[in-house]
Protein backbone atom coordinates (compact mmCIF):
# COMPACT_ATOMS: atom_id res chain seq x y z
CA UNK A 1 0.00 0.00 0.00
CA UNK A 2 2.84 2.39 0.74
CA UNK A 3 4.35 2.17 -2.73
CA UNK A 4 1.10 3.05 -4.61
CA UNK A 5 0.49 5.88 -2.15
CA UNK A 6 3.99 7.26 -2.71
CA UNK A 7 3.55 6.99 -6.46
CA UNK A 8 0.25 8.85 -6.20
CA UNK A 9 1.84 11.65 -4.17
CA UNK A 10 4.73 11.98 -6.64
CA UNK A 11 2.34 12.06 -9.59
CA UNK A 12 0.17 14.69 -7.90
CA UNK A 13 3.16 16.89 -7.15
CA UNK A 14 4.42 16.53 -10.72
CA UNK A 15 1.02 17.47 -12.17
CA UNK A 16 0.78 20.46 -9.83
CA UNK A 17 4.24 21.62 -10.88
CA UNK A 18 3.38 21.30 -14.59
CA UNK A 19 0.08 23.16 -14.15
CA UNK A 20 1.45 25.88 -11.87
CA UNK A 21 1.90 28.51 -14.63
CA UNK A 22 -1.87 28.32 -15.22
CA UNK A 23 -2.89 27.90 -11.57
CA UNK A 24 -0.86 30.73 -10.06
CA UNK A 25 -2.58 33.52 -12.07
CA UNK A 26 -5.98 32.14 -11.00
CA UNK A 27 -5.13 31.66 -7.35
CA UNK A 28 -2.78 34.60 -6.72
CA UNK A 29 -2.94 36.92 -9.72
CA UNK A 30 -0.57 39.83 -10.15
CA UNK A 31 -2.11 43.26 -9.71
CA UNK A 32 -0.37 45.46 -12.29
CA UNK A 33 -1.97 47.00 -15.38
CA UNK A 34 -2.09 44.99 -18.61
CA UNK A 35 0.70 45.12 -21.19
CA UNK A 36 0.71 44.27 -24.87
CA UNK A 37 3.42 41.72 -25.76
CA UNK A 38 4.84 41.26 -29.26
CA UNK A 39 7.33 38.53 -30.19
CA UNK A 40 9.38 39.88 -33.10
CA UNK A 41 7.56 42.69 -34.85
CA UNK A 42 6.56 43.63 -38.37
CA UNK A 43 2.75 43.70 -38.80
CA UNK A 44 2.35 42.31 -35.28
CA UNK A 45 3.87 45.48 -33.89
CA UNK A 46 1.72 47.58 -36.26
CA UNK A 47 -1.37 45.89 -34.80
CA UNK A 48 -0.15 46.44 -31.24
CA UNK A 49 0.45 50.14 -31.90
CA UNK A 50 -3.05 50.45 -33.38
CA UNK A 51 -4.52 48.82 -30.27
CA UNK A 52 -2.39 50.99 -28.02
CA UNK A 53 -3.99 54.04 -29.58
CA UNK A 54 -7.37 52.78 -28.37
CA UNK A 55 -6.45 51.31 -24.99
CA UNK A 56 -3.31 53.13 -23.87
CA UNK A 57 -1.63 49.85 -22.93
CA UNK A 58 2.17 49.87 -22.87
CA UNK A 59 3.94 47.59 -25.36
CA UNK A 60 6.72 45.10 -24.71
CA UNK A 61 8.49 44.08 -27.91
CA UNK A 62 10.83 41.08 -27.68
CA UNK A 63 12.73 40.82 -30.93
CA UNK A 64 15.92 39.85 -32.72
CA UNK A 65 18.23 42.82 -33.30
CA UNK A 66 18.35 41.87 -37.01
CA UNK A 67 14.64 42.63 -37.53
CA UNK A 68 15.22 46.35 -37.11
CA UNK A 69 12.04 46.63 -35.07
CA UNK A 70 10.65 49.01 -34.15
CA UNK A 71 11.29 50.99 -37.30
CA UNK A 72 11.54 54.77 -37.31
CA UNK A 73 8.11 54.87 -38.98
CA UNK A 74 6.62 52.74 -36.20
CA UNK A 75 8.17 54.96 -33.53
CA UNK A 76 6.74 58.04 -35.25
CA UNK A 77 3.35 56.41 -35.70
CA UNK A 78 3.21 55.57 -32.01
CA UNK A 79 3.68 59.27 -31.26
CA UNK A 80 1.53 60.74 -34.01
CA UNK A 81 -1.57 58.55 -34.18
CA UNK A 82 -2.21 58.90 -30.46
CA UNK A 83 -3.02 62.62 -30.93
CA UNK A 84 -2.55 63.06 -27.21
CA UNK A 85 -1.18 66.04 -25.36
CA UNK A 86 0.83 63.75 -23.10
CA UNK A 87 3.65 61.38 -24.08
CA UNK A 88 2.46 58.07 -25.56
CA UNK A 89 2.50 54.92 -23.43
CA UNK A 90 5.83 53.10 -23.31
CA UNK A 91 7.20 50.92 -26.08
CA UNK A 92 9.85 48.80 -24.36
CA UNK A 93 12.23 46.82 -26.59
CA UNK A 94 14.09 43.70 -25.40
CA UNK A 95 16.65 42.45 -27.94
CA UNK A 96 16.80 38.81 -26.82
CA UNK A 97 15.81 35.39 -28.03
CA UNK A 98 16.18 33.76 -31.42
CA UNK A 99 12.97 31.69 -31.46
CA UNK A 100 9.62 31.48 -29.68
CA UNK A 101 10.95 29.51 -26.70
CA UNK A 102 13.93 31.76 -26.00
CA UNK A 103 11.83 34.90 -26.47
CA UNK A 104 9.41 33.50 -23.89
CA UNK A 105 12.29 33.12 -21.44
CA UNK A 106 13.21 36.75 -22.18
CA UNK A 107 9.66 37.64 -21.12
CA UNK A 108 10.22 35.82 -17.83
CA UNK A 109 13.50 37.70 -17.34
CA UNK A 110 11.70 41.00 -17.93
CA UNK A 111 9.11 40.09 -15.30
CA UNK A 112 11.83 39.01 -12.89
CA UNK A 113 13.60 42.35 -13.37
CA UNK A 114 10.37 44.23 -12.66
CA UNK A 115 9.85 42.19 -9.51
CA UNK A 116 13.42 42.86 -8.37
CA UNK A 117 12.96 46.62 -8.94
CA UNK A 118 9.67 46.67 -7.05
CA UNK A 119 7.62 47.43 -10.17
CA UNK A 120 4.11 46.06 -10.66
CA UNK A 121 3.77 42.73 -12.44
CA UNK A 122 1.04 42.86 -15.12
CA UNK A 123 -2.10 40.93 -14.21
CA UNK A 124 -2.66 40.26 -17.94
CA UNK A 125 -0.29 40.07 -20.88
CA UNK A 126 -2.05 40.54 -24.21
CA UNK A 127 -0.01 38.60 -26.75
CA UNK A 128 -0.30 40.07 -30.25
CA UNK A 129 0.70 37.43 -32.79
CA UNK A 130 -0.22 35.82 -36.10
CA UNK A 131 -3.24 33.54 -36.05
CA UNK A 132 -1.07 30.57 -37.06
CA UNK A 133 1.59 31.36 -34.45
CA UNK A 134 -0.32 32.38 -31.36
CA UNK A 135 -1.20 28.87 -30.03
CA UNK A 136 2.41 27.90 -29.37
CA UNK A 137 3.47 31.46 -28.54
CA UNK A 138 0.67 31.66 -25.97
CA UNK A 139 1.61 28.32 -24.40
CA UNK A 140 5.28 29.19 -24.20
CA UNK A 141 4.64 32.68 -22.84
CA UNK A 142 2.14 31.41 -20.26
CA UNK A 143 4.59 28.84 -18.94
CA UNK A 144 7.27 31.52 -18.73
CA UNK A 145 5.10 34.22 -17.13
CA UNK A 146 2.55 32.28 -15.11
CA UNK A 147 4.80 31.83 -12.11
CA UNK A 148 4.75 35.61 -11.65
CA UNK A 149 0.95 35.72 -11.58
CA UNK A 150 0.43 36.97 -15.14
CA UNK A 151 -2.26 35.46 -17.36
CA UNK A 152 -1.80 35.38 -21.14
CA UNK A 153 -4.56 36.50 -23.49
CA UNK A 154 -3.90 35.86 -27.19
CA UNK A 155 -4.85 38.57 -29.69
CA UNK A 156 -4.27 36.98 -33.10
CA UNK A 157 -3.54 39.25 -36.04
CA UNK A 158 -5.52 37.84 -38.98
CA UNK A 159 -4.27 38.61 -42.51
CA UNK A 160 -6.95 40.28 -44.62
CA UNK A 161 -6.88 37.44 -47.16
CA UNK A 162 -7.83 34.99 -44.43
CA UNK A 163 -10.21 37.18 -42.46
CA UNK A 164 -13.27 35.25 -43.63
CA UNK A 165 -11.87 31.86 -42.60
CA UNK A 166 -11.17 30.26 -39.25
CA UNK A 167 -8.63 32.09 -37.11
CA UNK A 168 -8.53 29.60 -34.26
CA UNK A 169 -6.13 26.84 -35.31
CA UNK A 170 -5.78 23.79 -33.11
CA UNK A 171 -2.47 23.20 -31.30
CA UNK A 172 0.08 21.25 -33.34
CA UNK A 173 3.50 19.72 -32.75
CA UNK A 174 5.35 23.08 -32.57
CA UNK A 175 2.97 24.08 -29.77
CA UNK A 176 3.71 20.92 -27.79
CA UNK A 177 7.42 21.18 -28.59
CA UNK A 178 7.73 24.75 -27.29
CA UNK A 179 5.60 23.91 -24.25
CA UNK A 180 7.95 21.03 -23.45
CA UNK A 181 10.97 23.28 -23.99
CA UNK A 182 9.60 25.84 -21.53
CA UNK A 183 8.85 23.16 -18.95
CA UNK A 184 12.43 21.93 -19.41
CA UNK A 185 13.60 25.52 -18.89
CA UNK A 186 11.63 25.72 -15.65
CA UNK A 187 13.31 22.55 -14.43
CA UNK A 188 16.87 23.10 -15.66
CA UNK A 189 17.28 26.70 -16.84
CA UNK A 190 17.78 25.57 -20.45
CA UNK A 191 15.27 25.48 -23.32
CA UNK A 192 17.11 22.53 -24.85
CA UNK A 193 18.41 24.46 -27.86
CA UNK A 194 21.67 22.55 -27.39
CA UNK A 195 19.86 19.42 -28.64
CA UNK A 196 19.90 20.95 -32.14
CA UNK A 197 23.13 23.00 -32.11
CA UNK A 198 23.35 23.62 -35.86
CA UNK A 199 19.76 24.88 -36.05
CA UNK A 200 20.26 27.07 -32.98
CA UNK A 201 23.47 28.50 -34.46
CA UNK A 202 21.70 29.38 -37.71
CA UNK A 203 18.85 31.05 -35.86
CA UNK A 204 21.23 33.02 -33.67
CA UNK A 205 23.16 34.19 -36.72
CA UNK A 206 19.96 35.17 -38.54
CA UNK A 207 18.89 37.17 -35.48
CA UNK A 208 22.20 38.98 -35.17
CA UNK A 209 22.91 37.46 -31.76
Amino acid sequence: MKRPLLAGVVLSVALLWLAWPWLRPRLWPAQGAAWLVVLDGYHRLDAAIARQDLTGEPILLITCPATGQPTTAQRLRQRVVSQRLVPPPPLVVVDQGFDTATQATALAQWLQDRQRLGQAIPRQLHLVSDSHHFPRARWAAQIAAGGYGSALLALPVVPLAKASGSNTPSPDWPSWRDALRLQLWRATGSTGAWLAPELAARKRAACGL
Side-chain angles (χ1 to χ4, degrees), residues 68-90:
Q69 303 287 305
T71 63
T72 300
Q74 287 169 331
R75 287 281 194 186
L76 290 174
R77 182 181 172 213
Q78 189 208 16
R79 291 177 171 84
V80 173
V81 301
S82 64
Q83 298 181 352
R84 299 186 181 95
L85 298 178
V86 296

Side-chain angles (χ1 to χ4, degrees), residues 128-141:
V128 182
S129 188
D130 303 294
S131 57
H132 69 277
H133 179 247
F134 83 84
R136 66 188 177 102
R138 177 176 57 184
W139 283 18

Side-chain angles (χ1 to χ4, degrees), residues 57-120:
E57 296 163 314
I59 297 173
L60 172 65
L61 171 65
I62 302 176
T63 183
C64 296
T67 65
Q69 303 287 305
T71 63
T72 300
Q74 287 169 331
R75 287 281 194 186
L76 290 174
R77 182 181 172 213
Q78 189 208 16
R79 291 177 171 84
V80 173
V81 301
S82 64
Q83 298 181 352
R84 299 186 181 95
L85 298 178
V86 296
L91 171 53
V92 177
V93 182
V94 175
D95 290 322
Q96 292 182 28
F98 54 86
D99 60 10
T100 301
T102 54
Q103 287 177 346
T105 64
L107 171 60
Q109 182 62 56
W110 179 77
L111 292 170
Q112 184 181 68
D113 290 343
R114 289 184 66 85
Q115 187 177 69
R116 177 175 53 82
L117 295 171
Q119 299 173 340

Side-chain angles (χ1 to χ4, degrees), residues 16-85:
L16 177 62
W17 184 84
L18 290 171
W20 186 246
W22 287 271
L23 291 175
R24 164 70 196 277
R26 290 178 176 273
L27 298 175
W28 297 284
Q31 299 301 315
W35 277 64
L36 295 169
V37 177
V38 182
L39 303 185
D40 283 333
Y42 309 107
H43 58 285
R44 302 171 187 172
L45 182 56
D46 289 333
I49 292 173
R51 178 181 169 94
Q52 185 185 65
D53 184 45
L54 298 175
T55 65
E57 296 163 314
I59 297 173
L60 172 65
L61 171 65
I62 302 176
T63 183
C64 296
T67 65
Q69 303 287 305
T71 63
T72 300
Q74 287 169 331
R75 287 281 194 186
L76 290 174
R77 182 181 172 213
Q78 189 208 16
R79 291 177 171 84
V80 173
V81 301
S82 64
Q83 298 181 352
R84 299 186 181 95
L85 298 178

